[in-house]
Amino acid sequence: MNKNEIVKVNITDLGTDGEGIGKTDGFILFVKGAVPGDEIEAHILKVKKNLGYAKIERILSPSPDRVEPKCTAANRCGGCQIQQLSYEKQLEIKKKKVFDCLTRIGGVDPETLEKCYEGIIGMEEPWHYRNKAQYPVGIDKDGNPRIGFYSYHSHNIIENDECEIEKPLCALILKELRAIISRFDIEPYNEELGRGVLRHCLIRTGFSTGEVMVCLVVNAKGKEMNNWKAGSEPMETLVKALKEAVDKSGFKFVSLCVNVNTKNTNVILGDKLYPVYGPTYINDMIGDVIFRISPLSFYQVNPVQTKKLYEKALEYAELTGNETVWDLYCGIGTISLFLAKKAKKVYGVEIVPEAVENAKENAKLNNISNAEFFCGAAEDAVPRLNRELTNAERCDVIVVDPPRKGCDEKLLHTMITMDPIRIIYVSCDPATLGRDVKFLTEHGYRLTGACAVDQFCHSMHVETVVSLIGPRGRG
Ligand code: SAH
């Protein structure tokens, strides 16, 4: 097989980035935009030893699961990966992915899993579901400013004001920001040179409170910061415009803040945060718990599904009111406070200081006095706290909700020595979940429940919650 050759291929699978996968001539071909069931002519773009990358030249016979993407930029935008697949099929594929990871990587017996796997909870209306948008700011080939999304597998910015997964409100905010950029000649950041000022625009919306925050990430120091301070002309103009635009669309503009990031890195946010207008947080509610959220803190992006996820975690925890619960990787205390109402005591551990501050404030805001929060890496802090808090009650339930890389093995060892009745594992990556479930089941725990929740419709990501019962729980 050679570059630029056109080959016929049947797509049979989806890769981790949502590309269609098919076999031809002993080669495995990855084809962007193709979906299982498609019969296509593929245009070979790149060939390696026994695999290749291709684009669709022509669809000979479309998959019965193929649909017209709702978003006009779907083919170019790197935000969504599988809008061309019907939502029902997306759910089916994610459901199977979780099952496969738990059995193949996790070593769970398929028949056992069959009995306790609840499948996937999808969305009724899987559009405009995100409460957070982060737009890179840059320049195009002709030197003009651009704000939008990165295109697929690149850092080229495409402008797309009709995103179908963000709130339409975001487009109004970007319009005002573009006006400020041109009026005040603000220089967008150039990643390659590490020069320029405005890097990103973050927007967070509290779905149940209607509160909106805009956070601008800038590469600025000393005098360069003058433009970005409260009272400066560009900021005054922006605040006025945003207030009008946001409030007119039925939301409440409550905060504009500036985050400073002077490092030449892919990490979006720096550590320093300055208020320009209003506080440096917004409030939102999940169920009847209110949360204060800083732009530096993690907060689930799909509030409708988050409620279902936390309710499932709560159900799996089987709390009666007498339990001591540890919530590790607790963020702003969302799961902790959800559980605190049904538990005797909750200890939360989280690595980001601002998130821990938010968690403490959130406990107060909700009049919850049986939750305590600690800052530190869970793998270091939990063994220490477990020793120091000698007066702490024996741990009954551990909830973990780690980032994609899963739990540190040191933490898994500590969890085993804490001997909880139950472990509830919330995961955003079924592969590392599988790996950690294998560890826990090899150390005396047994899987008793599993449920996937679709938090990221039209992307390949899937959230899962599982429950495991330990020797103490089995009597
Ligand atoms: N349970 C929370 C947050 C989950 S996201 C919620 O549902 O909102 C994962 C969290 O783990 C993030 O807040 C991140 O800052 C934190 N984190 C990452 N590495 C960590 C570590 N080693 N120890 C403790 N927390 C960590």
Side-chain angles (χ1 to χ4, degrees):
M1 197 159 56
N2 298 306
K3 192 175 165 178
N4 288 330
E5 200 177 317
I6 308 279
V7 296
K8 208 172 121 178
V9 58
N10 291 326
I11 303 298
T12 51
D13 217 341
L14 268 189
T16 45
D17 287 338
E19 13 24 331
I21 300 180
K23 271 191 204 142
T24 179
D25 216 5
F27 275 83
I28 297 175
L29 267 191
F30 293 85
V31 191
K32 176 169 165 15
V35 300
D38 275 348
E39 191 186 329
I40 61 164
E41 277 180 358
H43 182 142
I44 310 292
L45 299 171
K46 196 167 163 187
V47 183
K48 287 191 178 170
K49 201 169 157 215
N50 44 18
L51 54 88
Y53 300 90
K55 62 177 183 182
I56 300 177
E57 182 71 19
R58 198 154 67 99
I59 298 178
L60 299 172
S61 159
S63 160
D65 301 310
R66 174 174 275 284
V67 294
E68 190 62 36
K70 198 165 172 177
C71 181
T72 47
N75 294 335
R76 294 175 292 137
C77 182
C80 294
Q81 298 124 20
I82 48 173
Q83 266 197 37
Q84 64 281 11
L85 199 58
S86 73
Y87 188 56
E88 293 70 41
K89 190 68 184 180
Q90 291 182 21
L91 290 178
E92 193 187 310
I93 285 175
K94 291 182 187 185
K95 177 179 163 188
K96 180 168 181 296
K97 183 172 167 184
V98 170
F99 188 92
D100 289 349
C101 285
L102 285 172
T103 50
R104 291 187 197 155
I105 305 173
V108 181
D109 168 47
E111 260 175 47
T112 313
L113 184 56
E114 207 83 60
K115 285 190 203 121
C116 70
Y117 184 33
E118 301 183 67
I120 186 161
I121 303 176
M123 282 192 96
E124 266 167 46
E125 189 50 56
W127 304 105
H128 301 295
Y129 62 80
R130 283 180 61 98
N131 59 12
K132 170 176 146 182
Q134 35 196 28
Y135 299 99
V137 184
I139 33 174
D140 67 10
K141 287 194 293 289
D142 308 319
N144 298 317
R146 294 218 130 190
I147 315 175
F149 292 102
Y150 289 132
S151 68
Y152 181 72
H153 274 194
S154 93
H155 273 198
N156 295 333
I157 297 169
I158 58 162
E159 298 201 333
N160 168 21
D161 283 349
E162 280 159 26
C163 176
E164 299 289 344
I165 65 168
E166 302 291 359
K167 283 263 175 250
L169 166 80
C170 294
L172 301 178
I173 294 174
L174 292 190
K175 187 168 159 249
E176 301 305 337
L177 186 59
R178 285 192 188 107
I180 297 295
I181 291 175
S182 89
R183 175 162 164 200
F184 294 95
D185 232 349
I186 289 168
E187 195 188 347
Y189 185 66
N190 181 325
E191 274 184 321
E192 276 162 37
L193 304 174
R195 280 211 331 249
V197 184
L198 186 55
R199 300 176 69 133
H200 270 88
C201 170
L202 258 70
I203 303 170
R204 247 186 191 157
T205 312
F207 275 28
S208 46
T209 56
E211 294 185 11
V212 174
M213 157 187 273
V214 175
C215 176
L216 303 175
V217 186
V218 300
N219 170 40
K221 287 193 205 108
K223 265 201 189 141
E224 295 164 340
M225 279 303 288
N226 289 347
N227 264 345
W228 306 98
K229 286 188 177 148
S232 70
E233 210 192 332
M235 291 300 97
E236 287 285 282
T237 317
L238 184 60
V239 166
K240 193 162 165 271
L242 288 180
K243 250 198 231 164
E244 232 183 271
V246 172
D247 294 1
K248 217 190 304 176
S249 64
F251 290 85
K252 279 176 276 179
F253 176 64
V254 299
S255 161
L256 174 66
C257 51
V258 165
N259 175 271
V260 179
N261 185 358
T262 52
K263 293 195 186 132
N264 196 353
T265 147
N266 272 341
V267 179
I268 296 178
L269 289 166
D271 306 329
K272 289 204 196 82
L273 190 64
Y274 300 101
V276 173
Y277 171 80
T280 54
Y281 59 80
I282 59 164
N283 298 298
D284 194 25
M285 291 187 81
I286 299 177
D288 56 0
V289 190
I290 185 159
F291 296 107
R292 182 169 283 187
I293 314 152
S294 148
L296 296 172
S297 305
F298 174 89
Y299 186 61
Q300 289 280 2
V301 296
N302 183 335
V304 171
Q305 294 299 87
T306 299
K307 181 161 181 278
K308 300 175 190 168
L309 176 75
Y310 291 171
E311 277 166 356
K312 192 50 78 181
L314 182 63
E315 178 194 321
Y316 282 174
E318 295 188 31
L319 300 177
T320 62
N322 291 320
E323 293 80 5
T324 297
V325 180
W326 287 71
D327 178 18
L328 311 179
Y329 307 87
C330 71
I332 61 171
T334 32
I335 298 180
S336 323
L337 299 180
F338 225 72
L339 301 186
K341 297 191 166 185
K342 301 269 164 63
K344 186 159 86 190
K345 179 89 202 180
V346 178
Y347 296 109
V349 180
E350 159 65 41
I351 201 164
V352 173
E354 285 77 8
V356 178
E357 281 316 304
N358 285 164
K360 289 177 181 168
E361 288 159 1
N362 289 335
K364 275 197 205 126
L365 274 179
N366 290 284
N367 288 322
I368 291 174
S369 55
N370 61 337
E372 258 182 84
F373 295 94
F374 303 94
C375 188
E379 56 277 19
D380 303 326
V382 179
R384 180 172 47 77
L385 290 166
N386 197 34
R387 271 194 313 273
E388 283 171 10
L389 297 169
T390 40
N391 294 333
E393 305 283 332
R394 189 165 179 190
C395 163
D396 300 306
V397 177
I398 295 180
V399 180
V400 292
D401 183 4
R404 278 185 213 157
K405 67 177 180 195
C407 291
D408 192 285
E409 196 175 312
K410 188 172 152 200
L411 178 66
L412 293 173
H413 276 287
T414 309
M415 285 160 61
I416 298 294
T417 62
M418 288 163 83
D419 194 24
I421 296 172
R422 261 173 251 290
I423 294 174
I424 314 300
Y425 197 130
V426 181
S427 156
C428 53
D429 184 339
T432 54
L433 171 68
R435 181 199 67 201
D436 292 349
V437 161
K438 188 172 168 70
F439 181 98
L440 293 170
T441 49
E442 281 170 358
H443 288 78
Y445 281 74
R446 197 186 290 158
L447 193 81
T448 52
C451 184
V453 180
D454 194 25
Q455 298 269 67
F456 316 103
C457 322
H458 312 293
S459 87
M460 284 298 285
H461 297 294
V462 58
E463 194 86 10
T464 312
V465 49
V466 304
S467 69
L468 299 117
I469 191 162
R472 213 174 115 210
R474 295 199 296 267

